């Protein structure tokens, strides 16, 4: 049994380098805080795990061969991206109104720590839902991965192993990207730039969601 690892690695690297919704989620989270960026990255890769396991088990065939199921997943994903965009735009406007207020020095450390844990969970959830509701991810595991397996062996086993390799590579890529994106924090510390960044990423989320729904 042989697997075309070189060709597979080339396709995987190109797929990660080309920006998608998960790219925007990870970069936006990393610009807020590196830990949130890593949480979003792990969430995105966990979402891919769902598609990988479904493809290895053959469950993804049902979704891709049923236009109703496929369109349902696509529209849910589009709606979620629009939701993220609208929330980012509203948060940017709210932050602009509150920029003149001084932070509350009486906030206990435990409350701040609890809030940070909640933000990490939120970043993870955003990354997870962005990929698990992306039918293109399911198509990748269902249609692209089998091109690099040996038909003489267990296709499900090979798809699973290649999927694991894909996810591990993705974790390394996202963590490296988080390190780069985290450098934006110093720039985004300026309220005006922060406001424009939040508005820009918010409208970009909305545009991607609308384009996904319109396909």
């Amino acid at each position: 049994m042989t697997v075309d690892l070189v060709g597979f690695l080339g396709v995987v690297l190109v797929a990660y380098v080309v920006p998608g919704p998960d790219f925007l989620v990870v970069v936006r989270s990393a610009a807020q805080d590196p830990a949130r960026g890593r949480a979003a990255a792990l969430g995105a890769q966990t979402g891919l795990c769902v598609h990988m396991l479904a493809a290895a088990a053959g469950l993804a065939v049902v979704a891709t061969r049923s236009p109703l199921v496929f369109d349902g997943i696509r529209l849910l994903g589009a709606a979620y991206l629009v939701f993220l965009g609208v929330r980012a735009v509203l948060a940017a406007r709210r932050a602009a109104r509150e920029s003149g207020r001084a932070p509350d020095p009486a906030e206990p450390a435990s409350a701040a720590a609890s809030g940070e844990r909640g933000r990490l969970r939120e970043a993870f959830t955003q990354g997870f839902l962005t990929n698990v509701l992306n039918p293109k991810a399911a198509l990748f595991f269902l249609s692209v991965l089998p091109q690099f397996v040996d038909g003489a062996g267990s296709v499900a086993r090979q798809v699973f192993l290649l999927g694991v390799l894909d996810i591990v590579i993705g974790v390394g890529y996202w963590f490296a990207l988080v390190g780069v994106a985290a450098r934006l924090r110093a720039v985004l510390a300026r309220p005006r730039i922060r406001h424009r960044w939040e508005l820009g990423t918010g409208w970009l989320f909305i545009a991607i969601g609308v384009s996904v729904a319109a396909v």
Side-chain angles (χ1 to χ4, degrees):
M1 183 177 68
T2 59
V3 177
D4 183 8
L5 282 179
V6 175
F8 172 73
L9 291 176
V11 170
V12 167
L13 291 175
V14 170
Y16 277 113
V17 170
V18 176
D22 50 359
F23 178 92
L24 186 57
V25 168
V26 173
V27 170
R28 184 173 182 273
S29 298
Q32 296 171 343
D33 181 72
R36 294 181 211 172
R38 289 189 288 270
L42 292 175
Q45 295 309 97
T46 303
L48 290 184
C49 285
V50 174
H51 291 300
M52 180 264 291
L53 292 173
L59 297 178
V61 176
V62 177
T64 54
R65 290 186 177 178
S66 172
L68 183 61
V69 173
F70 185 84
D71 286 343
I73 296 174
R74 178 175 58 82
L75 291 175
L76 279 175
Y80 182 68
L81 291 175
V82 171
F83 165 75
L84 290 180
V86 170
R87 193 170 68 168
V89 171
L90 293 178
R93 293 178 176 175
R94 183 169 58 252
R97 291 195 301 268
E98 297 176 353
S99 60
R101 300 181 185 177
D104 184 4
E107 182 183 11
S110 59
S114 176
E116 181 58 27
R117 286 194 295 270
R119 286 186 283 270
L120 291 178
R121 286 193 296 269
E122 181 182 27
F124 180 91
T125 301
Q126 287 182 1
F128 175 78
L129 291 178
T130 298
N131 268 351
V132 84
L133 294 177
N134 184 0
K136 291 183 179 180
L139 285 175
F140 177 84
F141 283 101
L142 185 65
S143 60
V144 176
L145 262 64
Q147 306 301 319
F148 299 95
V149 304
D150 184 358
S154 170
V155 174
R157 178 173 175 270
Q158 293 176 78
V159 167
F160 176 79
L161 293 176
L162 289 176
V164 170
L165 180 59
D166 179 337
I167 291 166
V168 170
I169 292 172
V171 170
Y173 170 78
W174 289 130
F175 275 33
L177 182 65
V178 166
V180 175
R183 297 179 181 274
L184 292 172
R185 295 184 68 195
V187 177
L188 294 177
R190 304 171 186 172
R192 181 175 296 180
I193 295 179
R194 177 75 180 205
H195 176 69
R196 291 176 179 175
W197 165 265
E198 292 290 346
L199 280 179
T201 54
W203 285 113
L204 188 55
F205 269 125
I206 294 173
I208 294 175
V210 171
S211 66
V212 169
V215 171

